[in-house]
PDB file of all heavy atoms in Angstrom:
ATOM      1  N   ASN A  29     285.261  86.581   0.716  1.00  0.00           N
ATOM      2  CA  ASN A  29     284.958  86.288  -0.718  1.00  0.00           C
ATOM      3  C   ASN A  29     283.447  86.872  -1.087  1.00  0.00           C
ATOM      4  O   ASN A  29     282.522  86.701  -0.398  1.00  0.00           O
ATOM      5  CB  ASN A  29     284.810  84.796  -0.874  1.00  0.00           C
ATOM      6  CG  ASN A  29     285.567  84.243  -2.013  1.00  0.00           C
ATOM      7  OD1 ASN A  29     285.366  84.809  -3.149  1.00  0.00           O
ATOM      8  ND2 ASN A  29     286.297  83.206  -1.940  1.00  0.00           N
ATOM      9  N   LYS A  31     280.822  88.176  -4.579  1.00  0.00           N
ATOM     10  CA  LYS A  31     280.618  88.463  -5.955  1.00  0.00           C
ATOM     11  C   LYS A  31     279.875  89.786  -6.159  1.00  0.00           C
ATOM     12  O   LYS A  31     279.336  90.071  -7.205  1.00  0.00           O
ATOM     13  CB  LYS A  31     279.690  87.351  -6.554  1.00  0.00           C
ATOM     14  CG  LYS A  31     280.408  86.015  -6.440  1.00  0.00           C
ATOM     15  CD  LYS A  31     279.598  84.792  -7.087  1.00  0.00           C
ATOM     16  CE  LYS A  31     280.210  83.536  -6.986  1.00  0.00           C
ATOM     17  NZ  LYS A  31     279.404  82.361  -7.193  1.00  0.00           N
ATOM     18  N   ARG A 158     275.659  87.320  -0.881  1.00  0.00           N
ATOM     19  CA  ARG A 158     276.857  87.913  -1.689  1.00  0.00           C
ATOM     20  C   ARG A 158     277.473  86.937  -2.613  1.00  0.00           C
ATOM     21  O   ARG A 158     278.126  87.398  -3.541  1.00  0.00           O
ATOM     22  CB  ARG A 158     277.892  88.454  -0.601  1.00  0.00           C
ATOM     23  CG  ARG A 158     278.490  87.229   0.166  1.00  0.00           C
ATOM     24  CD  ARG A 158     279.472  87.769   1.156  1.00  0.00           C
ATOM     25  NE  ARG A 158     279.736  86.831   2.349  1.00  0.00           N
ATOM     26  CZ  ARG A 158     280.396  85.623   2.105  1.00  0.00           C
ATOM     27  NH1 ARG A 158     281.016  85.226   0.972  1.00  0.00           N
ATOM     28  NH2 ARG A 158     280.467  84.878   3.239  1.00  0.00           N
ATOM     29  N   LYS A 185     276.614  81.897 -20.161  1.00  0.00           N
ATOM     30  CA  LYS A 185     278.014  81.872 -19.846  1.00  0.00           C
ATOM     31  C   LYS A 185     278.324  82.695 -18.655  1.00  0.00           C
ATOM     32  O   LYS A 185     279.161  82.333 -17.817  1.00  0.00           O
ATOM     33  CB  LYS A 185     278.717  82.456 -21.179  1.00  0.00           C
ATOM     34  CG  LYS A 185     278.706  81.449 -22.292  1.00  0.00           C
ATOM     35  CD  LYS A 185     279.589  82.007 -23.456  1.00  0.00           C
ATOM     36  CE  LYS A 185     279.294  81.218 -24.687  1.00  0.00           C
ATOM     37  NZ  LYS A 185     278.062  81.677 -25.469  1.00  0.00           N
ATOM     38  N   TYR A 197     275.067  85.288   4.187  1.00  0.00           N
ATOM     39  CA  TYR A 197     275.587  84.084   3.735  1.00  0.00           C
ATOM     40  C   TYR A 197     275.617  83.033   4.711  1.00  0.00           C
ATOM     41  O   TYR A 197     276.139  83.312   5.790  1.00  0.00           O
ATOM     42  CB  TYR A 197     277.010  84.218   3.034  1.00  0.00           C
ATOM     43  CG  TYR A 197     277.418  82.990   2.378  1.00  0.00           C
ATOM     44  CD1 TYR A 197     277.228  82.808   0.886  1.00  0.00           C
ATOM     45  CD2 TYR A 197     278.075  82.041   3.032  1.00  0.00           C
ATOM     46  CE1 TYR A 197     277.660  81.670   0.299  1.00  0.00           C
ATOM     47  CE2 TYR A 197     278.652  80.919   2.464  1.00  0.00           C
ATOM     48  CZ  TYR A 197     278.272  80.693   1.088  1.00  0.00           C
ATOM     49  OH  TYR A 197     278.869  79.477   0.406  1.00  0.00           O
ATOM     50  N   PRO A 198     275.221  81.811   4.454  1.00  0.00           N
ATOM     51  CA  PRO A 198     274.595  81.333   3.263  1.00  0.00           C
ATOM     52  C   PRO A 198     273.047  81.553   3.240  1.00  0.00           C
ATOM     53  O   PRO A 198     272.452  81.161   4.313  1.00  0.00           O
ATOM     54  CB  PRO A 198     274.836  79.802   3.242  1.00  0.00           C
ATOM     55  CG  PRO A 198     274.982  79.422   4.625  1.00  0.00           C
ATOM     56  CD  PRO A 198     275.392  80.648   5.413  1.00  0.00           C
ATOM     57  N   TRP A 202     267.673  78.360  -1.126  1.00  0.00           N
ATOM     58  CA  TRP A 202     267.920  79.099  -2.395  1.00  0.00           C
ATOM     59  C   TRP A 202     267.074  78.273  -3.629  1.00  0.00           C
ATOM     60  O   TRP A 202     266.876  77.183  -3.432  1.00  0.00           O
ATOM     61  CB  TRP A 202     269.437  78.924  -2.825  1.00  0.00           C
ATOM     62  CG  TRP A 202     269.955  77.402  -2.747  1.00  0.00           C
ATOM     63  CD1 TRP A 202     269.787  76.563  -3.776  1.00  0.00           C
ATOM     64  CD2 TRP A 202     270.601  76.774  -1.674  1.00  0.00           C
ATOM     65  NE1 TRP A 202     270.359  75.311  -3.326  1.00  0.00           N
ATOM     66  CE2 TRP A 202     270.793  75.553  -2.141  1.00  0.00           C
ATOM     67  CE3 TRP A 202     270.974  77.155  -0.431  1.00  0.00           C
ATOM     68  CZ2 TRP A 202     271.507  74.553  -1.313  1.00  0.00           C
ATOM     69  CZ3 TRP A 202     271.676  76.225   0.435  1.00  0.00           C
ATOM     70  CH2 TRP A 202     271.887  74.877  -0.096  1.00  0.00           C
ATOM     71  N   GLU A 206     274.731  79.371  -5.747  1.00  0.00           N
ATOM     72  CA  GLU A 206     275.854  80.046  -6.119  1.00  0.00           C
ATOM     73  C   GLU A 206     276.689  79.470  -7.338  1.00  0.00           C
ATOM     74  O   GLU A 206     277.502  80.236  -7.916  1.00  0.00           O
ATOM     75  CB  GLU A 206     276.689  80.291  -4.974  1.00  0.00           C
ATOM     76  CG  GLU A 206     277.377  79.123  -4.298  1.00  0.00           C
ATOM     77  CD  GLU A 206     278.113  79.405  -3.039  1.00  0.00           C
ATOM     78  OE1 GLU A 206     279.407  79.917  -3.263  1.00  0.00           O
ATOM     79  OE2 GLU A 206     277.747  79.199  -1.910  1.00  0.00           O
ATOM     80  N   ILE A 207     276.715  78.195  -7.470  1.00  0.00           N
ATOM     81  CA  ILE A 207     277.549  77.598  -8.416  1.00  0.00           C
ATOM     82  C   ILE A 207     277.434  78.178  -9.749  1.00  0.00           C
ATOM     83  O   ILE A 207     278.274  78.037 -10.682  1.00  0.00           O
ATOM     84  CB  ILE A 207     277.425  76.082  -8.447  1.00  0.00           C
ATOM     85  CG1 ILE A 207     275.970  75.556  -8.705  1.00  0.00           C
ATOM     86  CG2 ILE A 207     277.912  75.346  -7.237  1.00  0.00           C
ATOM     87  CD1 ILE A 207     275.819  74.080  -8.947  1.00  0.00           C
ATOM     88  N   TYR A 208     276.209  78.790 -10.111  1.00  0.00           N
ATOM     89  CA  TYR A 208     275.906  79.322 -11.489  1.00  0.00           C
ATOM     90  C   TYR A 208     276.122  80.757 -11.559  1.00  0.00           C
ATOM     91  O   TYR A 208     275.973  81.258 -12.634  1.00  0.00           O
ATOM     92  CB  TYR A 208     274.384  78.948 -11.749  1.00  0.00           C
ATOM     93  CG  TYR A 208     274.181  77.418 -11.815  1.00  0.00           C
ATOM     94  CD1 TYR A 208     273.137  76.845 -10.918  1.00  0.00           C
ATOM     95  CD2 TYR A 208     274.893  76.593 -12.609  1.00  0.00           C
ATOM     96  CE1 TYR A 208     272.985  75.553 -10.941  1.00  0.00           C
ATOM     97  CE2 TYR A 208     274.607  75.191 -12.491  1.00  0.00           C
ATOM     98  CZ  TYR A 208     273.545  74.718 -11.773  1.00  0.00           C
ATOM     99  OH  TYR A 208     273.387  73.363 -11.815  1.00  0.00           O
ATOM    100  N   ASP A 210     277.794  84.541 -11.471  1.00  0.00           N
ATOM    101  CA  ASP A 210     279.140  85.282 -11.522  1.00  0.00           C
ATOM    102  C   ASP A 210     279.232  86.559 -10.701  1.00  0.00           C
ATOM    103  O   ASP A 210     280.232  86.820  -9.993  1.00  0.00           O
ATOM    104  CB  ASP A 210     279.362  85.559 -13.068  1.00  0.00           C
ATOM    105  CG  ASP A 210     279.659  84.423 -13.826  1.00  0.00           C
ATOM    106  OD1 ASP A 210     280.779  83.848 -13.827  1.00  0.00           O
ATOM    107  OD2 ASP A 210     278.798  83.892 -14.412  1.00  0.00           O
ATOM    108  N   ARG A 307     247.881  66.646  -2.738  1.00  0.00           N
ATOM    109  CA  ARG A 307     248.957  66.397  -1.830  1.00  0.00           C
ATOM    110  C   ARG A 307     250.124  67.443  -2.023  1.00  0.00           C
ATOM    111  O   ARG A 307     250.917  67.644  -1.131  1.00  0.00           O
ATOM    112  CB  ARG A 307     249.488  64.997  -2.020  1.00  0.00           C
ATOM    113  CG  ARG A 307     250.405  64.454  -0.903  1.00  0.00           C
ATOM    114  CD  ARG A 307     250.517  62.933  -0.982  1.00  0.00           C
ATOM    115  NE  ARG A 307     250.633  62.476  -2.384  1.00  0.00           N
ATOM    116  CZ  ARG A 307     251.870  62.580  -3.063  1.00  0.00           C
ATOM    117  NH1 ARG A 307     252.882  63.119  -2.562  1.00  0.00           N
ATOM    118  NH2 ARG A 307     251.925  62.245  -4.423  1.00  0.00           N
ATOM    119  N   GLN A 336     261.728  71.198 -15.504  1.00  0.00           N
ATOM    120  CA  GLN A 336     260.931  70.270 -14.844  1.00  0.00           C
ATOM    121  C   GLN A 336     259.411  70.418 -14.949  1.00  0.00           C
ATOM    122  O   GLN A 336     258.660  69.608 -15.008  1.00  0.00           O
ATOM    123  CB  GLN A 336     261.315  70.342 -13.388  1.00  0.00           C
ATOM    124  CG  GLN A 336     260.784  69.224 -12.489  1.00  0.00           C
ATOM    125  CD  GLN A 336     261.292  69.309 -11.053  1.00  0.00           C
ATOM    126  OE1 GLN A 336     262.008  70.216 -10.682  1.00  0.00           O
ATOM    127  NE2 GLN A 336     260.803  68.289 -10.217  1.00  0.00           N
ATOM    128  N   LYS A 343     264.372  64.467 -19.659  1.00  0.00           N
ATOM    129  CA  LYS A 343     263.935  63.000 -19.617  1.00  0.00           C
ATOM    130  C   LYS A 343     262.543  62.810 -19.310  1.00  0.00           C
ATOM    131  O   LYS A 343     262.009  61.824 -19.725  1.00  0.00           O
ATOM    132  CB  LYS A 343     265.018  62.244 -18.886  1.00  0.00           C
ATOM    133  CG  LYS A 343     266.379  62.211 -19.459  1.00  0.00           C
ATOM    134  CD  LYS A 343     267.454  61.585 -18.704  1.00  0.00           C
ATOM    135  CE  LYS A 343     268.779  61.520 -19.605  1.00  0.00           C
ATOM    136  NZ  LYS A 343     269.913  61.065 -18.781  1.00  0.00           N
ATOM    137  N   SER A 344     262.000  63.671 -18.507  1.00  0.00           N
ATOM    138  CA  SER A 344     260.541  63.814 -18.342  1.00  0.00           C
ATOM    139  C   SER A 344     260.281  65.142 -17.638  1.00  0.00           C
ATOM    140  O   SER A 344     261.220  65.779 -17.123  1.00  0.00           O
ATOM    141  CB  SER A 344     259.897  62.683 -17.509  1.00  0.00           C
ATOM    142  OG  SER A 344     260.352  62.724 -16.223  1.00  0.00           O
ATOM    143  N   SER A 345     259.122  65.693 -17.716  1.00  0.00           N
ATOM    144  CA  SER A 345     258.646  66.863 -16.972  1.00  0.00           C
ATOM    145  C   SER A 345     257.353  66.465 -16.289  1.00  0.00           C
ATOM    146  O   SER A 345     256.699  65.462 -16.595  1.00  0.00           O
ATOM    147  CB  SER A 345     258.606  67.983 -17.881  1.00  0.00           C
ATOM    148  OG  SER A 345     257.389  67.936 -18.587  1.00  0.00           O
ATOM    149  N   ASP A 348     254.244  65.275 -18.209  1.00  0.00           N
ATOM    150  CA  ASP A 348     254.103  63.906 -18.592  1.00  0.00           C
ATOM    151  C   ASP A 348     253.280  63.147 -17.674  1.00  0.00           C
ATOM    152  O   ASP A 348     252.873  61.964 -18.085  1.00  0.00           O
ATOM    153  CB  ASP A 348     255.534  63.248 -18.805  1.00  0.00           C
ATOM    154  CG  ASP A 348     256.410  63.909 -19.734  1.00  0.00           C
ATOM    155  OD1 ASP A 348     255.746  64.456 -20.884  1.00  0.00           O
ATOM    156  OD2 ASP A 348     257.533  64.008 -19.631  1.00  0.00           O
ATOM    157  N   SER A 349     253.064  63.549 -16.535  1.00  0.00           N
ATOM    158  CA  SER A 349     252.178  62.925 -15.519  1.00  0.00           C
ATOM    159  C   SER A 349     250.906  63.609 -15.333  1.00  0.00           C
ATOM    160  O   SER A 349     250.107  63.172 -14.478  1.00  0.00           O
ATOM    161  CB  SER A 349     252.969  62.784 -14.091  1.00  0.00           C
ATOM    162  OG  SER A 349     254.057  61.956 -14.348  1.00  0.00           O
TER     163      SER A 349
ATOM    164  N   ASN B  30     252.070  57.203 -17.066  1.00  0.00           N
ATOM    165  CA  ASN B  30     253.536  57.341 -17.426  1.00  0.00           C
ATOM    166  C   ASN B  30     254.378  56.718 -16.466  1.00  0.00           C
ATOM    167  O   ASN B  30     254.211  57.154 -15.274  1.00  0.00           O
ATOM    168  CB  ASN B  30     253.643  58.809 -17.517  1.00  0.00           C
ATOM    169  CG  ASN B  30     254.506  59.041 -18.901  1.00  0.00           C
ATOM    170  OD1 ASN B  30     255.446  58.363 -19.224  1.00  0.00           O
ATOM    171  ND2 ASN B  30     254.069  60.132 -19.584  1.00  0.00           N
ATOM    172  N   LYS B  32     258.643  55.342 -15.503  1.00  0.00           N
ATOM    173  CA  LYS B  32     259.999  54.927 -15.953  1.00  0.00           C
ATOM    174  C   LYS B  32     260.385  53.627 -15.135  1.00  0.00           C
ATOM    175  O   LYS B  32     261.483  53.167 -15.270  1.00  0.00           O
ATOM    176  CB  LYS B  32     261.003  55.993 -15.518  1.00  0.00           C
ATOM    177  CG  LYS B  32     260.687  57.288 -16.389  1.00  0.00           C
ATOM    178  CD  LYS B  32     261.629  58.374 -15.863  1.00  0.00           C
ATOM    179  CE  LYS B  32     261.285  59.673 -16.572  1.00  0.00           C
ATOM    180  NZ  LYS B  32     261.970  60.835 -15.930  1.00  0.00           N
ATOM    181  N   ARG B 159     257.832  56.873  -9.416  1.00  0.00           N
ATOM    182  CA  ARG B 159     257.872  56.178 -10.616  1.00  0.00           C
ATOM    183  C   ARG B 159     258.561  56.909 -11.758  1.00  0.00           C
ATOM    184  O   ARG B 159     259.027  56.409 -12.701  1.00  0.00           O
ATOM    185  CB  ARG B 159     256.597  55.719 -11.069  1.00  0.00           C
ATOM    186  CG  ARG B 159     255.529  56.842 -11.363  1.00  0.00           C
ATOM    187  CD  ARG B 159     254.159  56.489 -11.793  1.00  0.00           C
ATOM    188  NE  ARG B 159     253.222  57.484 -11.497  1.00  0.00           N
ATOM    189  CZ  ARG B 159     253.049  58.661 -12.351  1.00  0.00           C
ATOM    190  NH1 ARG B 159     253.838  58.685 -13.371  1.00  0.00           N
ATOM    191  NH2 ARG B 159     252.184  59.552 -11.958  1.00  0.00           N
ATOM    192  N   MET B 183     273.011  64.800 -13.454  1.00  0.00           N
ATOM    193  CA  MET B 183     272.862  65.914 -14.429  1.00  0.00           C
ATOM    194  C   MET B 183     273.705  65.624 -15.681  1.00  0.00           C
ATOM    195  O   MET B 183     273.247  66.115 -16.702  1.00  0.00           O
ATOM    196  CB  MET B 183     273.420  67.130 -13.740  1.00  0.00           C
ATOM    197  CG  MET B 183     272.469  67.660 -12.603  1.00  0.00           C
ATOM    198  SD  MET B 183     273.325  69.090 -11.838  1.00  0.00           S
ATOM    199  CE  MET B 183     273.251  70.404 -13.101  1.00  0.00           C
ATOM    200  N   LYS B 186     274.768  60.154 -19.597  1.00  0.00           N
ATOM    201  CA  LYS B 186     273.900  60.043 -20.757  1.00  0.00           C
ATOM    202  C   LYS B 186     272.577  59.312 -20.429  1.00  0.00           C
ATOM    203  O   LYS B 186     271.494  59.751 -20.765  1.00  0.00           O
ATOM    204  CB  LYS B 186     274.519  59.319 -21.870  1.00  0.00           C
ATOM    205  CG  LYS B 186     275.732  60.040 -22.507  1.00  0.00           C
ATOM    206  CD  LYS B 186     276.242  59.460 -23.798  1.00  0.00           C
ATOM    207  CE  LYS B 186     277.603  60.019 -24.183  1.00  0.00           C
ATOM    208  NZ  LYS B 186     278.676  59.516 -23.358  1.00  0.00           N
ATOM    209  N   TYR B 198     253.754  59.375  -6.682  1.00  0.00           N
ATOM    210  CA  TYR B 198     254.210  60.593  -7.577  1.00  0.00           C
ATOM    211  C   TYR B 198     253.140  61.787  -7.241  1.00  0.00           C
ATOM    212  O   TYR B 198     252.027  61.625  -7.155  1.00  0.00           O
ATOM    213  CB  TYR B 198     254.024  60.260  -9.053  1.00  0.00           C
ATOM    214  CG  TYR B 198     254.428  61.464  -9.908  1.00  0.00           C
ATOM    215  CD1 TYR B 198     255.769  61.432 -10.412  1.00  0.00           C
ATOM    216  CD2 TYR B 198     253.587  62.510 -10.290  1.00  0.00           C
ATOM    217  CE1 TYR B 198     256.201  62.521 -11.196  1.00  0.00           C
ATOM    218  CE2 TYR B 198     253.969  63.488 -11.087  1.00  0.00           C
ATOM    219  CZ  TYR B 198     255.331  63.519 -11.510  1.00  0.00           C
ATOM    220  OH  TYR B 198     255.717  64.547 -12.332  1.00  0.00           O
ATOM    221  N   PRO B 199     253.811  62.959  -7.054  1.00  0.00           N
ATOM    222  CA  PRO B 199     255.098  63.339  -7.121  1.00  0.00           C
ATOM    223  C   PRO B 199     255.733  63.297  -5.733  1.00  0.00           C
ATOM    224  O   PRO B 199     255.109  63.719  -4.743  1.00  0.00           O
ATOM    225  CB  PRO B 199     255.125  64.764  -7.564  1.00  0.00           C
ATOM    226  CG  PRO B 199     253.817  65.340  -6.987  1.00  0.00           C
ATOM    227  CD  PRO B 199     252.832  64.149  -7.076  1.00  0.00           C
ATOM    228  N   TRP B 203     262.485  66.354  -3.347  1.00  0.00           N
ATOM    229  CA  TRP B 203     263.414  65.494  -4.214  1.00  0.00           C
ATOM    230  C   TRP B 203     264.716  66.095  -3.954  1.00  0.00           C
ATOM    231  O   TRP B 203     265.008  67.248  -3.788  1.00  0.00           O
ATOM    232  CB  TRP B 203     262.948  65.512  -5.679  1.00  0.00           C
ATOM    233  CG  TRP B 203     262.825  66.843  -6.148  1.00  0.00           C
ATOM    234  CD1 TRP B 203     263.694  67.730  -6.702  1.00  0.00           C
ATOM    235  CD2 TRP B 203     261.631  67.632  -6.389  1.00  0.00           C
ATOM    236  NE1 TRP B 203     263.278  68.947  -7.135  1.00  0.00           N
ATOM    237  CE2 TRP B 203     261.993  68.835  -6.932  1.00  0.00           C
ATOM    238  CE3 TRP B 203     260.266  67.273  -6.134  1.00  0.00           C
ATOM    239  CZ2 TRP B 203     260.975  69.749  -7.204  1.00  0.00           C
ATOM    240  CZ3 TRP B 203     259.155  68.247  -6.456  1.00  0.00           C
ATOM    241  CH2 TRP B 203     259.615  69.480  -6.981  1.00  0.00           C
ATOM    242  N   GLU B 207     263.154  64.450 -11.558  1.00  0.00           N
ATOM    243  CA  GLU B 207     262.915  63.503 -12.755  1.00  0.00           C
ATOM    244  C   GLU B 207     263.400  63.861 -14.044  1.00  0.00           C
ATOM    245  O   GLU B 207     263.650  62.985 -14.965  1.00  0.00           O
ATOM    246  CB  GLU B 207     261.372  63.315 -12.895  1.00  0.00           C
ATOM    247  CG  GLU B 207     260.628  64.597 -13.251  1.00  0.00           C
ATOM    248  CD  GLU B 207     259.119  64.194 -13.410  1.00  0.00           C
ATOM    249  OE1 GLU B 207     258.595  63.677 -14.435  1.00  0.00           O
ATOM    250  OE2 GLU B 207     258.469  64.714 -12.478  1.00  0.00           O
ATOM    251  N   ILE B 208     263.710  65.114 -14.325  1.00  0.00           N
ATOM    252  CA  ILE B 208     264.233  65.527 -15.595  1.00  0.00           C
ATOM    253  C   ILE B 208     265.504  64.944 -15.947  1.00  0.00           C
ATOM    254  O   ILE B 208     265.889  64.973 -17.088  1.00  0.00           O
ATOM    255  CB  ILE B 208     264.534  67.139 -15.671  1.00  0.00           C
ATOM    256  CG1 ILE B 208     265.393  67.574 -14.489  1.00  0.00           C
ATOM    257  CG2 ILE B 208     263.202  67.951 -15.484  1.00  0.00           C
ATOM    258  CD1 ILE B 208     265.826  69.143 -14.689  1.00  0.00           C
ATOM    259  N   TYR B 209     266.219  64.430 -14.905  1.00  0.00           N
ATOM    260  CA  TYR B 209     267.593  63.767 -15.296  1.00  0.00           C
ATOM    261  C   TYR B 209     267.502  62.192 -15.327  1.00  0.00           C
ATOM    262  O   TYR B 209     268.544  61.562 -15.660  1.00  0.00           O
ATOM    263  CB  TYR B 209     268.523  64.087 -14.135  1.00  0.00           C
ATOM    264  CG  TYR B 209     268.889  65.562 -14.149  1.00  0.00           C
ATOM    265  CD1 TYR B 209     268.556  66.289 -12.945  1.00  0.00           C
ATOM    266  CD2 TYR B 209     269.298  66.320 -15.252  1.00  0.00           C
ATOM    267  CE1 TYR B 209     268.875  67.550 -12.877  1.00  0.00           C
ATOM    268  CE2 TYR B 209     269.445  67.582 -15.160  1.00  0.00           C
ATOM    269  CZ  TYR B 209     269.306  68.270 -14.010  1.00  0.00           C
ATOM    270  OH  TYR B 209     269.492  69.724 -13.890  1.00  0.00           O
ATOM    271  N   ASP B 211     266.270  58.342 -16.455  1.00  0.00           N
ATOM    272  CA  ASP B 211     265.700  57.513 -17.545  1.00  0.00           C
ATOM    273  C   ASP B 211     264.894  56.275 -17.048  1.00  0.00           C
ATOM    274  O   ASP B 211     263.869  56.078 -17.523  1.00  0.00           O
ATOM    275  CB  ASP B 211     266.874  57.026 -18.410  1.00  0.00           C
ATOM    276  CG  ASP B 211     267.606  58.114 -19.125  1.00  0.00           C
ATOM    277  OD1 ASP B 211     267.050  58.585 -20.162  1.00  0.00           O
ATOM    278  OD2 ASP B 211     268.638  58.520 -18.714  1.00  0.00           O
ATOM    279  N   ARG B 308     273.830  78.982  11.987  1.00  0.00           N
ATOM    280  CA  ARG B 308     272.545  79.240  11.368  1.00  0.00           C
ATOM    281  C   ARG B 308     272.104  78.185  10.459  1.00  0.00           C
ATOM    282  O   ARG B 308     270.926  77.947  10.042  1.00  0.00           O
ATOM    283  CB  ARG B 308     272.597  80.617  10.778  1.00  0.00           C
ATOM    284  CG  ARG B 308     271.222  81.248  10.423  1.00  0.00           C
ATOM    285  CD  ARG B 308     271.459  82.690  10.081  1.00  0.00           C
ATOM    286  NE  ARG B 308     272.534  83.055   9.228  1.00  0.00           N
ATOM    287  CZ  ARG B 308     272.681  82.783   7.996  1.00  0.00           C
ATOM    288  NH1 ARG B 308     271.495  82.173   7.251  1.00  0.00           N
ATOM    289  NH2 ARG B 308     273.582  83.116   7.231  1.00  0.00           N
ATOM    290  N   GLN B 337     278.374  72.209  -5.627  1.00  0.00           N
ATOM    291  CA  GLN B 337     278.095  73.197  -4.583  1.00  0.00           C
ATOM    292  C   GLN B 337     279.016  73.021  -3.444  1.00  0.00           C
ATOM    293  O   GLN B 337     279.512  74.090  -2.830  1.00  0.00           O
ATOM    294  CB  GLN B 337     276.678  73.381  -4.193  1.00  0.00           C
ATOM    295  CG  GLN B 337     276.202  74.531  -3.489  1.00  0.00           C
ATOM    296  CD  GLN B 337     274.790  74.607  -3.255  1.00  0.00           C
ATOM    297  OE1 GLN B 337     274.015  73.765  -3.658  1.00  0.00           O
ATOM    298  NE2 GLN B 337     274.265  75.641  -2.600  1.00  0.00           N
ATOM    299  N   LYS B 344     281.248  78.254 -10.498  1.00  0.00           N
ATOM    300  CA  LYS B 344     281.485  79.727 -10.358  1.00  0.00           C
ATOM    301  C   LYS B 344     281.790  79.975  -8.936  1.00  0.00           C
ATOM    302  O   LYS B 344     282.521  81.057  -8.717  1.00  0.00           O
ATOM    303  CB  LYS B 344     280.332  80.507 -11.035  1.00  0.00           C
ATOM    304  CG  LYS B 344     280.318  80.386 -12.483  1.00  0.00           C
ATOM    305  CD  LYS B 344     279.110  80.991 -13.222  1.00  0.00           C
ATOM    306  CE  LYS B 344     279.275  80.886 -14.705  1.00  0.00           C
ATOM    307  NZ  LYS B 344     278.097  81.436 -15.405  1.00  0.00           N
ATOM    308  N   SER B 345     281.350  79.218  -8.040  1.00  0.00           N
ATOM    309  CA  SER B 345     281.841  79.280  -6.651  1.00  0.00           C
ATOM    310  C   SER B 345     281.216  78.026  -5.992  1.00  0.00           C
ATOM    311  O   SER B 345     280.265  77.415  -6.485  1.00  0.00           O
ATOM    312  CB  SER B 345     281.522  80.412  -5.809  1.00  0.00           C
ATOM    313  OG  SER B 345     280.175  80.578  -5.657  1.00  0.00           O
ATOM    314  N   SER B 346     281.897  77.656  -4.913  1.00  0.00           N
ATOM    315  CA  SER B 346     281.338  76.560  -4.121  1.00  0.00           C
ATOM    316  C   SER B 346     281.376  77.121  -2.652  1.00  0.00           C
ATOM    317  O   SER B 346     281.889  78.099  -2.433  1.00  0.00           O
ATOM    318  CB  SER B 346     282.155  75.249  -4.144  1.00  0.00           C
ATOM    319  OG  SER B 346     283.331  75.327  -3.394  1.00  0.00           O
ATOM    320  N   ASP B 349     284.489  78.148  -0.931  1.00  0.00           N
ATOM    321  CA  ASP B 349     285.071  79.448  -1.093  1.00  0.00           C
ATOM    322  C   ASP B 349     284.690  80.523   0.079  1.00  0.00           C
ATOM    323  O   ASP B 349     285.397  81.645   0.140  1.00  0.00           O
ATOM    324  CB  ASP B 349     284.720  80.106  -2.385  1.00  0.00           C
ATOM    325  CG  ASP B 349     285.180  79.289  -3.604  1.00  0.00           C
ATOM    326  OD1 ASP B 349     286.252  78.702  -3.476  1.00  0.00           O
ATOM    327  OD2 ASP B 349     284.382  79.139  -4.613  1.00  0.00           O
ATOM    328  N   SER B 350     283.804  80.191   0.890  1.00  0.00           N
ATOM    329  CA  SER B 350     283.467  81.019   1.906  1.00  0.00           C
ATOM    330  C   SER B 350     283.779  80.393   3.275  1.00  0.00           C
ATOM    331  O   SER B 350     283.315  80.970   4.341  1.00  0.00           O
ATOM    332  CB  SER B 350     281.870  81.367   1.887  1.00  0.00           C
ATOM    333  OG  SER B 350     281.573  81.975   0.725  1.00  0.00           O
TER     334      SER B 350
END
Side-chain angles (χ1 to χ4, degrees):
Chain A
N29 225 318
K31 296 175 184 171
R158 62 180 158 78
K185 290 189 196 76
Y197 184 92
W202 56 81
E206 63 180 281
I207 56 172
Y208 300 122
D210 293 280
R307 189 167 46 76
Q336 193 174 357
K343 287 170 176 178
S344 68
S345 74
D348 299 323
S349 294
Chain B
N30 223 317
K32 296 174 184 171
R159 61 180 159 79
M183 291 177 67
K186 291 190 194 76
Y198 184 93
W203 55 82
E207 63 179 283
I208 55 172
Y209 300 121
D211 292 280
R308 189 167 45 76
Q337 194 173 357
K344 287 171 176 177
S345 68
S346 74
D349 299 324
S350 295

